[in-house]
Amino acid sequence: MLSKSAARTFFVAGTGVCAAAFLGLTFDTLAKVPERSKAAQMTESVRRGHDLWTDNNCMGCHTLLGEGAYYAPELTQVVNRRGAAWIKTFLKDPEAMFPGKRKMVRYDFTDRDRDDLVAFFSWVGEIDTNGFPPTPVYRMTGGPAVGAAPMKGTPPPTFEQVCVACHALGGKGGAVGPALDGVASRYTTEKLHTWLADPQAVKPGTAMPNLGLSEADRGALVDFLMLQK
Ligand code: HEC
Ligand code: HEC
């Protein structure tokens, strides 16, 4: 049994040590915040993206840094996962990218709004979160042509960030649409242009969305696709 005064000393000393450890760790954490949150990279565009994020209540459906609602995907690493071009195309018209299957709201954002949101997501993705969220293992549901030869030429960024989500080429890519190996022997330049400009007009009801590609983007894509003989 401790005597009354020993118990008091024990209590006071214990409280003192724990309080000191608590203050020390708090101070240490706060000192690391600017470094870990990459505060220096918080540009005007990042701030505007953040305001769009809060003003539109994106958190009503999404989580960011683990906080928010669980209806829609976690977005902390969305830029790593999808790439800037994919996100901008998606935000323009989410439904077009996944016809009839998706529930993401279509907002009337300007190009600048979309740039700001991507800047915000890029910044969030750079925060040192001690490894949150863990990298998921993606499983392919089929798709790439068996024994496909490597792709020819260098794919334009749009191809790597948007098209590969649904199409395989050279043995890699998504399985929503057909593999694009040998596409140049099935299509002419003109037919590819018409298809990419508006797939729905060529084949009403097709699962390939109208991606709102610019003339320049389409040109680069068609040049690249025509190399895939
Ligand atoms: C009503 C719920 C809802 C709201 C509000 C919402 N989203 Fe979404 N969002 C979704 C769903 C559901 C998906 C998954 C794709 C789909 O089903 O369309 C998604 C997907 C996304 C994706 C692609 C994620 C991925 O990995 O594929 C991005 C980026 C995104 N949302 C951004 C936003 C932004 C920015 C806002 C606010 C301006 C917002 N969302 C508001 C429901 C919502
Ligand atoms: C959301 C998924 C999706 C995305 C993104 C997508 N496609 Fe498609 N694509 C499809 C589907 C599904 C088809 C099959 C259409 C059909 O036959 O109804 C298709 C068909 C095609 C075809 C015809 C292929 C053939 O062998 O007949 C080409 C070429 C093509 N896509 C190119 C592209 C390019 C280039 C991009 C990027 C700019 C792209 N696609 C983005 C889903 C997608």
Side-chain angles (χ1 to χ4, degrees), residues 97 163 166-167 177-178 186-187 192 195-196 203 206 208-209 211:
M97 219 148 174
C163 318
C166 294
H167 291 283
R186 301 194 290 276
Y187 281 76
L192 274 181
W195 176 254
L196 291 182
K203 191 170 174 185
T206 175
M208 164 115 173
L211 295 165

Side-chain angles (χ1 to χ4, degrees), residues 178-196:
L180 295 177
D181 305 278
V183 67
S185 48
R186 301 194 290 276
Y187 281 76
T188 60
T189 305
E190 291 71 45
K191 270 173 85 181
L192 274 181
H193 262 289
T194 320
W195 176 254
L196 291 182

Side-chain angles (χ1 to χ4, degrees), residues 150-174:
M151 63 168 78
K152 294 164 193 100
T154 312
T158 322
F159 187 82
E160 294 199 289
Q161 296 184 349
V162 181
C163 318
V164 288
C166 294
H167 291 283
L169 178 61
K172 271 186 277 176

Side-chain angles (χ1 to χ4, degrees), residues 66-138:
E67 204 186 325
Y70 292 97
Y71 177 66
E74 223 303 318
L75 295 179
T76 306
Q77 288 295 332
V78 69
V79 175
N80 270 338
R81 185 165 69 235
R82 299 295 202 183
W86 190 99
I87 296 173
K88 284 181 209 169
T89 311
F90 176 73
L91 288 176
K92 238 182 236 173
D93 191 354
E95 169 92 28
M97 219 148 174
F98 304 97
K101 298 207 180 98
R102 297 294 171 128
K103 298 281 193 310
M104 164 78 183
V105 187
R106 179 175 172 172
Y107 293 93
D108 283 327
F109 289 136
T110 62
D111 284 346
R112 180 176 171 195
D113 292 343
R114 281 187 285 269
D115 288 346
D116 293 342
L117 277 166
V118 168
F120 173 61
F121 287 135
S122 304
W123 173 75
V124 170
E126 291 291 310
I127 294 176
D128 177 357
T129 53
N130 282 335
F132 173 88
T135 315
V137 180
Y138 291 114

